[in-house]
Amino acid sequence: MARKTLSVLLMDPPYESNNTPTALRVIDAALRKGHNVNVFAYEGAVALTLKGQAPHPNPVKGTTVEQQQHPTPKDWIAALMKSVQGDQKIDWINCGLCVDERGAGDWIEGARRGSPADFAKMADASNQTLVIATR
Amino acid sequence: MANYVLVESRDPFEYQDAQAFYDLARDLTKAGNKVTFYLVQNGVIPARRGCRFERVAELAQAGVSVIADDFSLRERAIPTGKLHDKVTVSNVDALVDLLMQDGTKAIWH
């Protein structure tokens, strides 16, 4: 199968919406099928790649960090970035205006800064574009 | 005629605007397009057999291919044997294949 390119626009911040894990599942499937993937993180979604995300215990339940097995979106995204094979690409762009508004610029390796104009270029150069708007 | 993939993530009992998305799927099909309606997240709720929201059956009868996401069903403890008989079960791998077909137009709601 010929390699194609899927672009995805995300808007939801971490831990807010079922859209985020679903989108990451779609991105994972596209990567496993050998496609290239572009992601444009807009508004609250720029926090998905924040390096400082940390799992936590649950003092109410008395469980430890290990028992909680608390996932972090930045670890899921880092795993997606590591999963690319050969010359396959995943390009993750965080909207710079949204980053500055939120002071949310300390990201994991692999994310980069861009603007909505980059999303237009992504969509133009892709075989498919999914816009997953917030509710 | 075009291929459309409409991804419905919303439960129509929670979001009234889901009705408009069902309308869109029906009308695109009536206009001669091939439409896949992929139910995901709480969008799978009306895929249950006997659900009082009957528009899933209406879409299927209109010729829309209605698919429920297997992961979303498992998350919500909805057994596949309890689904409307016109609904098929699939997964995001198949969704990606549909999305990446040349000329397919995709809308997420």
Side-chain angles (χ1 to χ4, degrees):
Chain A
M1 185 183 65
R3 173 168 292 161
K4 295 184 177 179
T5 300
L6 171 68
S7 289
V8 181
L9 181 142
L10 301 174
M11 291 177 69
D12 288 301
Y15 304 109
E16 290 287 336
S17 169
N18 203 175
N19 281 344
T20 304
T22 304
L24 296 179
R25 287 170 52 220
V26 170
I27 292 166
D28 172 60
L31 291 172
R32 281 189 287 101
K33 288 173 174 289
H35 299 304
N36 293 325
V37 176
N38 299 318
V39 180
F40 188 78
Y42 194 54
E43 298 191 347
V46 298
L48 291 169
T49 48
L50 278 179
K51 194 188 293 182
Q53 294 170 18
H56 57 73
N58 188 328
V60 176
K61 290 163 56 183
T63 49
T64 65
V65 172
E66 292 76 20
Q67 288 167 326
Q68 280 294 116
Q69 298 183 326
H70 191 194
T72 59
K74 56 107 173 168
D75 286 340
W76 287 338
I77 294 163
L80 291 173
M81 289 175 172
K82 280 184 186 171
S83 74
V84 298
Q85 305 285 324
D87 60 352
Q88 186 184 25
K89 291 177 184 170
I90 178 170
D91 187 14
W92 189 290
I93 296 180
N94 287 322
C95 169
L97 298 174
C98 311
V99 166
D100 293 343
E101 285 171 338
R102 292 162 176 79
D106 189 19
W107 312 316
I108 59 170
E109 189 177 343
R112 66 186 180 96
R113 182 186 177 95
S115 80
D118 290 302
F119 175 62
K121 291 173 191 166
M122 283 177 169
D124 204 33
S126 297
N127 300 89
Q128 184 60 268
T129 300
L130 270 183
V131 175
I132 304 177
T134 194
R135 296 183 180 180
Chain B
M1 177 176 156
N3 286 336
Y4 285 85
V5 175
L6 306 189
V7 181
E8 176 55 288
S9 67
R10 303 188 189 189
D11 173 7
F13 294 104
E14 186 178 5
Y15 290 93
Q16 188 64 26
D17 61 358
Q19 294 273 6
F21 206 54
Y22 278 75
D23 289 345
L24 178 63
R26 179 198 60 202
D27 293 348
L28 285 169
T29 303
K30 280 186 179 174
N33 299 289
K34 184 179 176 189
V35 178
T36 300
F37 203 68
Y38 192 91
L39 303 170
V40 69
Q41 300 170 196
N42 282 344
V44 300
I45 298 294
R48 295 166 299 153
R49 191 187 312 133
C51 178
R52 296 185 69 172
F53 181 82
E54 296 175 336
R55 300 207 59 193
V56 169
E58 177 198 334
L59 287 190
Q61 283 159 9
V64 176
S65 171
V66 182
I67 298 173
D69 178 66
D70 64 343
F71 186 90
S72 303
L73 292 170
R74 288 201 305 276
E75 281 183 317
R76 289 157 183 80
I78 301 173
T80 56
K82 298 285 187 183
L83 298 180
H84 190 284
D85 59 7
K86 299 289 187 187
V87 174
T88 58
V89 177
S90 193
N91 54 44
V92 290
D93 285 59
L95 174 62
V96 167
D97 288 342
L98 289 167
L99 291 171
M100 301 311 275
Q101 287 179 2
D102 290 339
T104 297
K105 304 170 195 299
I107 307 173
W108 182 293
H109 179 250

